[in-house]
Amino acid sequence: MATIAEKIQSGFELARQINEAVWMDGRDSQQLSVDELCDYVGQEFSVNITIQVLDVETKAVLGFIMRYEEGRRACVYIVKNTPIRWKRLVGVKELCHVVVDTEEDFNPNGVDTLQRMMSLVADMDAIENLALRSEHIAEMVALELIYPHEDRRAHMDAIGRGEATFADIGTRYRLPEIIIQMILTPAYLAMCDKYWRAVDEARRAKVVALRAAANEG
C-alpha cells in the first residue's frame, strides 16, 4: 500500500500531466470550467462522469462523488447553495478523486468519512483512514490544477510589497480568499515545493534510465 507521501507525489505528477495536456491543447487550466474539466477527466480516465446540483440546504457538506458500475461511472454532486468560488473548487476537487483514487481509497460509508474529517487523525495511512486521506490528496491536487504552483512565490512577493492582496489573487483564480491565504502560508508553500521537487527528480531519473537502456540496446 502506498504511503500518503507517495500518493501526494503521484497526484502532483498527474496534475502536471493534466496541466501540460490542457496547455498543449491551447487552453489555460486555471480558466477551465468544471464542465470542461469533467469532460477531459472522463475521457482520459475512461469514466462516464456527470455533475448534478443538489437542491438542499446544508453547510456541513458542499459536495461529494459517488461511483457506480465498478468505477466506470461516477456522479459529482454539488450542493446548490454553495458560493460560486467554493462551488468551482468543490467540483474540481471531486473530479480529482477520479484522477488520484484507487480501490483502496473508496468508502461506501460517507458518514464515517465525515466524522473522521471532523476529528484529529494521527495516522493517515491507517486502513480505516484511507478515505479521509483521499479527501486531503484530492483537494491538494485540485489546487495545483486551479492555482499553478509556479505563480505563488511571485504573488507572495507582490503581497509583501503591497502590490496585491489575497482578495486580488482569489478573484484572478476564482478561489475563496481564505483558500488563497492557506496556499500562501510558508508551511504550505514549503510542502508543495518538496513534492514538486520530488516529481521533477523522478522525471529526470526516468529520462536517465531510458537513455541508459537505449544506449545498452
Side-chain angles (χ1 to χ4, degrees):
M1 183 182 73
T3 65
I4 185 170
E6 291 168 337
K7 292 280 285 188
I8 293 172
Q9 182 178 332
S10 174
F12 275 39
E13 168 59 23
L14 288 165
R16 182 198 65 78
Q17 292 175 20
I18 292 173
N19 277 330
E20 184 177 277
V22 170
W23 179 79
M24 290 293 287
D25 197 34
R27 292 179 291 176
D28 185 344
S29 62
Q30 72 193 34
Q31 298 302 323
L32 280 184
S33 70
V34 174
D35 287 333
E36 288 175 316
L37 184 61
C38 179
D39 290 342
Y40 178 84
V41 170
Q43 180 178 350
E44 288 298 309
F45 293 88
S46 301
V47 179
N48 181 12
I49 309 172
T50 55
I51 299 176
Q52 292 188 22
V53 175
L54 292 178
D55 192 4
V56 296
E57 295 290 330
T58 176
K59 294 182 179 178
V61 179
L62 301 182
F64 57 93
I65 188 169
M66 295 289 289
R67 297 175 176 82
Y68 309 94
E69 299 172 13
E70 299 182 341
R72 293 188 299 274
R73 184 168 68 86
C75 185
V76 172
Y77 296 93
I78 302 176
V79 174
K80 183 178 181 179
N81 66 345
T82 303
I84 188 64
R85 291 188 189 180
W86 282 102
K87 191 174 290 185
R88 181 165 184 259
L89 174 56
V90 169
V92 174
K93 178 255 182 183
E94 298 304 331
L95 288 171
C96 282
H97 280 294
V98 176
V99 175
V100 303
D101 283 359
T102 57
E103 269 192 59
E104 68 183 18
D105 302 309
F106 300 171
N107 184 3
N109 188 347
V111 174
D112 175 72
T113 301
L114 282 173
Q115 290 174 339
R116 292 179 186 278
M117 289 175 71
M118 292 184 286
S119 62
L120 293 174
V121 175
D123 184 6
M124 292 288 264
D125 289 327
I127 296 295
E128 64 271 19
N129 293 326
L130 294 186
L132 175 59
R133 183 180 77 170
S134 165
E135 295 295 320
H136 287 290
I137 295 171
E139 181 177 297
M140 290 182 69
V141 173
L143 292 174
E144 296 308 313
L145 293 177
I146 298 173
Y147 184 6
H149 179 259
E150 57 267 24
D151 295 343
R152 298 174 189 173
R153 294 287 178 183
H155 291 163
M156 278 296 295
D157 292 342
I159 290 170
R161 294 192 301 269
E163 298 171 358
T165 65
F166 293 114
D168 294 336
I169 298 167
T171 298
R172 176 177 176 182
Y173 292 94
R174 293 181 287 165
L175 282 170
E177 183 177 349
I178 191 172
I179 295 296
I180 297 296
Q181 291 173 339
M182 182 276 293
I183 292 173
L184 295 182
T185 58
Y188 195 86
L189 282 168
M191 178 177 63
C192 291
D193 284 345
K194 179 184 73 172
Y195 284 112
W196 280 118
R197 282 196 301 271
V199 166
D200 290 341
E201 288 168 4
R203 291 186 68 207
R204 286 195 294 270
K206 186 176 181 180
V207 169
V208 169
L210 289 172
R211 286 176 177 170
N215 291 335
E216 289 176 1

